[in-house]
Amino acid sequence: MASAKIKKGDSVVVLSGKDKGKTGTVAQVMPKDGKVVVEGVNVTTRHRKPTQTNPQGGIDRAPAPMAISKVAVADPKDGKPTRVRFEMKDGKKVRVAVKSGETIDG
């Protein structure tokens, strides 16, 4: 199995959809489903009725999963979207931004 190119904690840019161009950090990756949750992006609202546990009720806002193909890792140099390549440095496999050649939190 190939190594994951997008990991939890990465800074990513949304490539398509209603949030196109927004950036955020990855909160969760679901490799089996091919989805990713990005903080502050693809936020859904749920109107909750008052219950015994939540007597106030109200509107809950939470980020929903989105397709991993809709996001790209942000280049550490300028924050623009870039592809990711793997290289061996000092005997370790590290992720490298294709655009700038910079190591991504490796």
Side-chain angles (χ1 to χ4, degrees):
M1 187 172 147
S3 297
K5 297 198 176 189
I6 295 177
K7 297 184 177 182
K8 183 178 177 180
D10 282 353
S11 180
V12 294
V13 180
V14 180
L15 301 175
S16 65
K18 64 178 182 180
D19 294 318
K20 180 178 179 178
K22 287 188 180 179
T23 60
T25 57
V26 176
Q28 184 182 3
V29 179
M30 297 173 250
K32 285 185 180 177
D33 301 329
K35 295 195 181 280
V36 66
V37 176
V38 182
E39 291 172 5
V41 176
N42 197 27
V43 178
T44 59
T45 57
R46 302 241 359 215
H47 295 259
R48 302 284 188 180
K49 282 175 133 181
T51 61
Q52 282 187 331
T53 55
N54 184 11
Q56 186 65 35
I59 301 171
D60 290 343
R61 291 177 178 83
M66 62 192 309
I68 203 164
S69 60
K70 286 188 167 197
V71 298
V73 176
D75 196 318
K77 206 170 205 174
D78 59 4
K80 292 182 180 175
T82 182
R83 297 187 315 266
V84 176
R85 161 176 64 228
F86 290 98
E87 290 181 3
M88 294 298 287
K89 290 189 180 178
D90 301 325
K92 278 190 155 185
K93 187 176 174 183
V94 294
R95 296 183 301 152
V96 176
V98 172
K99 267 190 183 173
S100 65
E102 299 233 351
T103 304
I104 300 169
D105 64 21

